[in-house]
Amino acid sequence: KIYPYTNSGAFIDFKTDGVVPADDATTPAAPFEPVAGDLVITEIVGDGVDGVDDDDGYVEIYNTTLNILDLNNVEIRYYDDGSPFPTAVTMLFGFTLASHSYFVIAQDWLTFETAYGFSPDWADMMFPFDGGADAIEIYVNTFRAESVDQFNETDGSAWPWTGDEPIERTSTGDGAEPGSWTEDTGGSGTPGEGYFDEDPLPVTLSSFFAEFSEGASMLQWTTQSESNNQGWHIYRSETEDANLSI
């Protein structure tokens, strides 16, 4: 017996079971493969932040979506010393990442645990986290072959940073640009928390359309998702201060 998770597009995700479910039974949704904007690098902490080069650097990744993301085909690529080609690659095969959750990849498992009191999600000693012109990229290695996000330029034109200060994401803009990052001088790493910790809004709006016709205004909108949404308030005004609810 085959019960589909999804039945759209050219592919069907399914599971098998020997028990016939009730008519209204549902199965958990299959994880989504990330696309650009779904996974973002939020923090880079160099090996020397604690004043000692003891292999406790890390990179922090965040799921910006309301979906569980499938990391099976996700690669984290490290570009050491301005190299235009990856000098180290770690694959996240077998992992998923829950909505609005973080994934931490450390340089060394034990030294990270000692420094922060909990285990990273993964570790790779081939990631030096020593600053200079190093860059990091999230890459989905499927038929799409897509770069999802990056820290610094990966084409050999990287800008310099120090491995002695945390680098935090302060903009959802292009991660290759230095303006998307802030160096926290004198700070310490904050794995699993940070700039993207705000509670998500209860409604995700996918479209909004307004038209004035025959003396009346018509509004149309579509939501991508809603959670505990009680209703809507529409305001009108002849000035920018819309204080009359209709």
Side-chain angles (χ1 to χ4, degrees):
K1 301 177 182 64
I2 299 177
Y3 310 113
Y5 287 108
T6 60
N7 59 355
S8 61
F11 301 98
I12 296 178
D13 297 317
F14 63 88
K15 74 174 186 178
T16 60
D17 197 330
V19 179
V20 178
D23 291 340
D24 60 351
T26 58
T27 56
F32 288 75
E33 186 173 274
V35 297
D38 289 353
L39 281 177
V40 294
I41 300 171
T42 50
E43 186 178 36
I44 307 291
V45 171
D47 185 19
V49 165
D50 59 357
V52 181
D53 292 334
D54 56 356
D55 301 336
D56 58 356
Y58 67 86
V59 55
E60 177 188 80
I61 298 167
Y62 182 71
N63 176 359
T64 68
T65 75
L66 296 173
N67 303 312
I68 300 173
L69 294 182
D70 182 358
L71 306 185
N72 272 314
N73 296 309
V74 173
E75 297 177 353
I76 308 301
R77 299 181 170 187
Y78 200 99
Y79 298 74
D80 195 21
D81 294 332
S83 170
F85 307 102
T87 54
V89 177
T90 190
M91 300 184 65
L92 304 184
F93 182 79
F95 287 101
T96 59
L97 185 59
S99 169
H100 299 293
S101 296
Y102 291 92
F103 193 95
V104 175
I105 303 171
Q107 185 178 9
D108 179 78
W109 206 286
L110 182 58
T111 53
F112 180 92
E113 286 183 339
T114 301
Y116 297 103
F118 64 94
S119 298
D121 298 288
W122 193 247
D124 193 323
M125 285 294 294
M126 298 303 293
F127 288 11
F129 296 111
D130 57 358
D134 294 5
I136 302 174
E137 179 184 33
I138 305 175
Y139 191 85
V140 177
N141 194 4
T142 61
F143 64 92
R144 288 192 294 111
E146 180 183 16
S147 179
V148 173
D149 192 37
Q150 65 192 74
F151 163 72
N152 216 338
E153 293 284 2
T154 59
D155 60 1
S157 61
W159 35 271
W161 57 285
T162 174
D164 297 332
E165 309 289 352
I167 309 291
E168 297 181 351
R169 188 74 167 262
T170 52
S171 168
T172 55
D174 188 354
E177 298 296 328
S180 297
W181 303 88
T182 297
E183 186 174 79
D184 186 11
T185 305
S188 59
T190 56
E193 58 183 86
Y195 176 78
F196 292 93
D197 270 353
E198 307 97 321
D199 292 332
L201 294 175
V203 174
T204 300
L205 199 66
S206 58
S207 68
F208 188 90
F209 175 77
E211 182 181 27
F212 184 78
S213 177
E214 299 180 357
S217 296
M218 180 174 66
L219 307 179
Q220 295 179 330
W221 63 89
T222 304
T223 60
Q224 178 178 323
S225 63
E226 298 184 32
S227 176
N228 298 323
N229 181 33
Q230 184 175 4
W232 304 89
H233 287 281
I234 300 174
Y235 292 84
R236 60 171 295 178
S237 177
E238 296 179 357
T239 67
E240 293 183 359
D241 182 17
N243 54 15
L244 176 62
S245 175
I246 59 174

